[in-house]
Structures are given as C-alpha cells and as structure tokens.
Amino acid sequence: MDAVNEGTGPQSYTQNSSCQRGALEAAQEIIKEEIAEKLDIKQLIASDSLNTFRIADLGCATGPNTFLAVQTILEAVQPKLGSQNSQTFPEFQVFFSDLVSNDFNTLFKSLPPQSQIPYFAAGVPGSFLTQHKQIRNLSSVLHHFHGPLFPKASLHFVHSSCALNWLSQVPKPVAERTSSAWNAGKILYSISSSREVTEAYSCQFANDMGLFLQARANELVGGGLMALVIPGLPVGILFSETRTALEFELLGSTLMGMANMGLVSKEKVDCFNLPVYFPSLEELKAIIERNREFRIEKMEAISHPKMKTEPKQCISSIKAVFEGIIGKHFGSNVTEELFEQCSIKAAEPSVILLDTDMPTLHVLLVILKRNGNDNA
C-alpha cells in the first residue's frame, strides 16, 4: 500500500476526502454518547502515573478529517473529568499514526489551534517491528497498523476511520495463475469475479483484522475504548450490488480497454489487484468474538448522504486514494490516462455508475471496550 495523495492541491487527499468525512460525521454523535456512557476516565487516569489521557488515531492521513475525530473524542471526554483544579486535571496526548510514506508535514502544518482543549501531538509512522516477539513468526511482513505500534497498556482510546478496509497484502490466491481464485483482468473482487476471489479477500481481511485486534488489545489499558469507523456493506447486501463495486468495475474495465489499445501491458493488468475489502457487520462481529479481548459495546450500520458522490467527485476521490498504488505498478503516465478516461466514461449517460437507486456502502461503527479494570 502507498500513502494517499500528499499536499493540499486540487488532486490531494485533503481536497478529495469528503466521503471519508461523511463517514466520520455519521458516527460522531454515537461515539460521543458511547464515551459518555462507557468510559470511566477517572479510574483510567487514577492508574496512570503521568496523569495523561492518551489517544491514538490510526490511519490519520493528511487531515483535516483526523482533527475532527480528535475533537469529537476530546469534547466527549472532557465533561467526564468534572471540576478539578489545574494541578490534578490530566493532560491529553494524541498520536497521529499512518504509513511511513504519509505526508506528515501537511498534517502538522494544518494542525488546528488548540485554544479550548489543548493536547500534545505526535506522529507515529506505521513501520512494523517485524522482530517483535508477537509477530516474528508471521509468514509475511505486515504494513501500516495491523501489528504493534505502541508500548503495552499505554493507550486509553483508539480511533480508526476509513483505514481498516486496507489489507496487509493482496490475497495470495488471487495473484497466483494456477489458483482457482486467479483474478485476471479485474482489479478487485468485482461483479464478474468468481466466488473463490471473494472468499480469498474475506479470509485476508479476517486474518488482518485479527492481528489488528491482537495488537490493540496489547496497547489499550483495561477499560479503554476503541472506535472503528469502517465503510462496509448494508445489511443483506452483497458488495457486487453496490455502487462502489461499479466504481471499481469502471476502473478495471478502463484499464483493460487501455491494454487492448496497447497503452498498457495486459499481463500487468492481469496481475494487478487492489488490497481493499468492504466487510459486513456479521463478518466483523465474528472476528471480534474470536479475539475475546474486547467487549462489543455498540455495533451498527449507518446510512449517510455523503456516501453518495457526483461523477467528477467520485473519480477524484478514487484517484486521491489509489493513485499512488496504481502508479507504482503501471507508471505515472498510465495513471493520468486511466483517470482521465474514467472521468469521461463516468459522465456518459449510458454508464449507470451513479444510479441513485443502487445501494451505497454504509458506515459500520464498532465501539469496543478492552476487557479488565472495568467498573463502568
């Protein structure tokens, strides 16, 4: 996986992440309510020798959405502290974590003024400690935050939004020519992909999510909370039935069209797949229950109008997220041509990409509490 588009220009993630912001906004009030009801902050702070409440946002990208998430958490946590004098009032520390290649410069340049609820901000690049005793026996090197990032029992609240859809790798069966899940000519488990392809993606997500939960269970204190905001499937809907599936189908078919015109190698297209997956609530629940380190406090699928976008905005959003990984495989010249053709096709009346009657992805909100030290 490559980082999202850097900077603040017209093609940057910063300027093309309204859909991701919509997911955050959809979950915002519920996260506040769960913090108010389920987080025993005074107990957590009382056991912290530094009198500091520590928050981590995993998959922060370049802003500004991460700052909205942090603001939401702080605004919910502060009232629970009650009236305390300046000597006993805890300090807040926020860790912004993402890939090593993430544009942390843009992130911290846009850090908002901290006039109301000040906090200490730090960046945590997600390079993995492959020799860590808990993961040294894994067969593949993980990226981003599926593995350990923080010391044991060092965090009180973990947040991640629109990031856990990324897989640690393309599922191996999908990339093997001799496999029944070989996904030639397609870039994802799409409308025309076989059942074996979808199953391979599902298994990879379950494995990655299990490792993520294992790492976070080690890093969160007992009684700490974790809020996960994950674009996923509406109840009873398959991925192939969503507009998002059509968006990726358009991207893949445009690539194949370029291959047929000799603009890109067909072999390169055949061996290219995106490492992303959109789960259902049922899948998430089963994975969490297997972990046994967390209690599910809240889990629901939320519809939000910002999950629907216009053609130009839709393609711009996809480009802002996937341009890096596509360019790395095909080259920057191919990438520019690809998204230009996609924009043209998406605007054609015959393309049903933005059929308003098609189901869109929902916001899957999961609130988990780390087992142990729980009086709430």
Side-chain angles (χ1 to χ4, degrees), residues 165-181:
N165 300 97
W166 284 100
L167 303 177
S168 64
Q169 61 182 17
V170 172
K172 288 184 177 179
V174 171
E176 294 175 351
R177 292 180 180 273
T178 57
S179 167
S180 59

Side-chain angles (χ1 to χ4, degrees), residues 178-196:
T178 57
S179 167
S180 59
W182 168 241
N183 201 31
K186 307 170 193 69
I187 63 171
L188 196 61
Y189 60 110
S190 62
I191 295 170
S192 54
S193 294
S194 68
R195 176 177 55 83
E196 288 83 0

Side-chain angles (χ1 to χ4, degrees), residues 238-254:
L238 300 174
F239 177 68
S240 59
E241 298 170 334
T242 66
R243 283 201 322 169
T244 304
L246 283 180
E247 292 167 8
F248 286 110
E249 190 83 1
L250 175 65
L251 195 65
S253 64
T254 303

